[in-house]
Amino acid sequence: MNRAFSRKKDKTWMHTPEALSKHYIPYNAKFLGSTEVEQPKGTEVVRDAVRKLKFARHIKKSEGQKIPKVELQISIYGVKILEPKTKEVQHNCQLHRISFCADDKTDKRIFTFICKDPESNRHLCYVFDSEKCAEEITLTIGQAFNLAYRKFLESGGKDVETRKQIAGLQKRIQDLETENVELKNKVQDLENQLRITQVSASPASSVSPQSPSTDIFDMVPFSPTSHPPAVPTPNGTQPPPVPGRAAEIKRDLFGAEPFDPFSCAAGDFPPDIQSKLDEMQEGFKMGLTLEGTVFCLDPVDSKC
């Protein structure tokens, strides 16, 4: 995993794994807002975003508007941004979508992270004022990312390719079953047309006792519901009846029951498991870059 903990290599994790995996770490902060950025990583990218949102904050202050306060809940399941009183979730950023996280090493209040929006696929930069806890929050997000990546591997992330192959085989079987149904319908249509042709060609005066209609090869058409007549056994008893096909068992083109690799635990693997696993694998492979940098580069920023 391409993780870059620049300027953080001498830092140790601040929380126990249990605190982040079974619970969450809360922080209070002011939310300056979010803005779209062109790249998933980069100091210059977040520096421009921070300057833009700080400038917008100055304008709001001059208009008498207050910066909204939020509660951050950090765990291995992501970074939640909530309204402090109602606990309403405003944003839910999953860790495999967070690619860059940085704090200002001169202004200890400011920190930011870049997260990919799941609906629009845009990269959004979130900026916060955290009352001198910026570095701690950045490290906490880094630790949560590290634990989430390990959990992903332990829970089957290594078997992504195998699961993708299983999903491909399952789709292939479904396609074969659909093709089988279409072929059966075509055969039935041809048999019906043949019967109509035979009836219209035969003269009305030569009607004889009806016998089973035959196909073009003078064979009695096969019917899945028909059974051959019972032949008495040498001792005079009738053989046991031939068991009929179980209507409730659907079979594929080769006479086998359809294969469903997810039938044992359908709740654990949703239908779009392949796309979800691909997204998580791609996000964790990109890694999370933790970085400390300087955002306040001009007098306007220093007054924030």
Side-chain angles (χ1 to χ4, degrees):
M1 182 174 56
N2 179 25
R3 292 175 298 171
F5 297 143
S6 60
R7 206 182 62 84
K8 306 291 186 181
K9 294 181 179 179
D10 57 335
K11 302 292 183 180
T12 58
W13 297 134
M14 306 185 66
H15 309 284
T16 63
E18 291 75 16
L20 288 165
S21 59
K22 297 181 180 180
H23 306 282
Y24 60 83
I25 306 299
Y27 291 99
N28 293 319
K30 293 180 180 179
F31 186 30
L32 276 67
S34 62
T35 184
E36 183 178 358
V37 293
E38 296 182 356
Q39 300 294 331
K41 296 177 183 286
T43 302
E44 292 297 329
V45 174
V46 296
R47 180 179 290 132
D48 292 341
V50 170
R51 180 181 286 110
K52 176 181 177 180
L53 291 173
K54 277 189 172 184
F55 182 76
R57 183 174 73 167
H58 281 292
I59 295 177
K60 291 181 180 180
K61 273 189 173 183
S62 64
E63 296 175 350
Q65 299 183 29
K66 294 183 178 181
I67 307 301
K69 295 181 179 180
V70 295
E71 178 182 331
L72 300 176
Q73 294 181 355
I74 303 174
S75 70
I76 63 171
Y77 301 103
V79 179
K80 288 185 179 181
I81 305 173
L82 303 89
E83 204 286 325
K85 295 182 179 179
T86 63
K87 302 299 181 181
E88 178 184 358
V89 179
Q90 300 176 354
H91 303 277
N92 188 9
C93 304
Q94 293 181 304
L95 292 173
H96 67 273
R97 296 193 178 107
I98 299 178
S99 54
F100 192 87
C101 187
D103 58 85
D104 192 335
K105 62 183 180 182
T106 58
D107 184 350
K108 300 298 183 180
R109 302 172 303 170
I110 302 298
F111 83 96
T112 178
F113 63 80
I114 298 176
C115 181
K116 186 177 182 181
D117 182 74
E119 297 182 359
S120 63
N121 285 329
R122 300 180 304 165
H123 295 286
L124 301 178
C125 183
Y126 295 79
V127 181
F128 303 86
D129 183 327
S130 60
E131 294 294 334
K132 298 185 179 181
C133 294
E135 185 178 29
E136 179 179 339
I137 296 175
T138 300
L139 285 172
T140 302
I141 293 176
Q143 182 181 5
F145 184 95
N146 187 52
L147 292 172
Y149 177 67
R150 292 182 182 180
K151 184 176 179 65
F152 173 72
L153 294 180
E154 293 171 359
S155 62
K158 294 180 179 179
D159 300 329
V160 170
E161 294 300 326
T162 301
R163 293 187 183 181
K164 288 170 61 177
Q165 293 176 7
I166 291 175
L169 289 174
Q170 186 183 33
K171 185 179 185 303
R172 176 59 177 161
I173 291 173
Q174 292 175 350
D175 293 341
L176 288 174
E177 290 177 351
T178 302
E179 183 180 353
N180 185 29
V181 172
E182 293 175 353
L183 290 174
K184 285 182 178 179
N185 292 336
K186 289 181 180 179
V187 171
Q188 186 64 42
D189 292 340
L190 290 174
E191 290 180 351
N192 293 337
Q193 294 177 10
L194 183 61
R195 291 193 186 97
I196 294 173
T197 303
Q198 290 176 342
V199 170
S200 60
S202 61
S205 58
S206 61
V207 176
S208 58
Q210 292 185 353
S211 60
S213 60
T214 58
D215 59 15
I216 192 172
F217 303 107
D218 199 28
M219 300 292 291
V220 177
F222 170 74
S223 174
T225 58
S226 63
H227 302 287
V231 179
T233 57
N235 58 7
T237 60
Q238 293 290 336
V242 178
R245 286 171 172 253
E248 66 276 4
I249 299 179
K250 184 179 179 182
R251 297 184 179 276
D252 62 15
L253 180 62
F254 307 103
E257 295 182 21
F259 171 65
D260 185 1
F262 304 136
S263 60
C264 296
D268 297 334
F269 305 106
D272 56 346
I273 181 65
Q274 180 174 341
S275 61
K276 290 183 180 296
L277 286 173
D278 287 342
E279 181 192 1
M280 293 185 70
Q281 187 181 41
E282 180 183 355
F284 282 124
K285 185 181 294 185
M286 178 182 291
L288 171 65
T289 301
L290 298 185
E291 188 168 304
T293 186
V294 178
F295 298 144
C296 298
L297 300 178
D298 52 53
V300 173
D301 285 342
S302 64
K303 296 177 183 178
C304 296

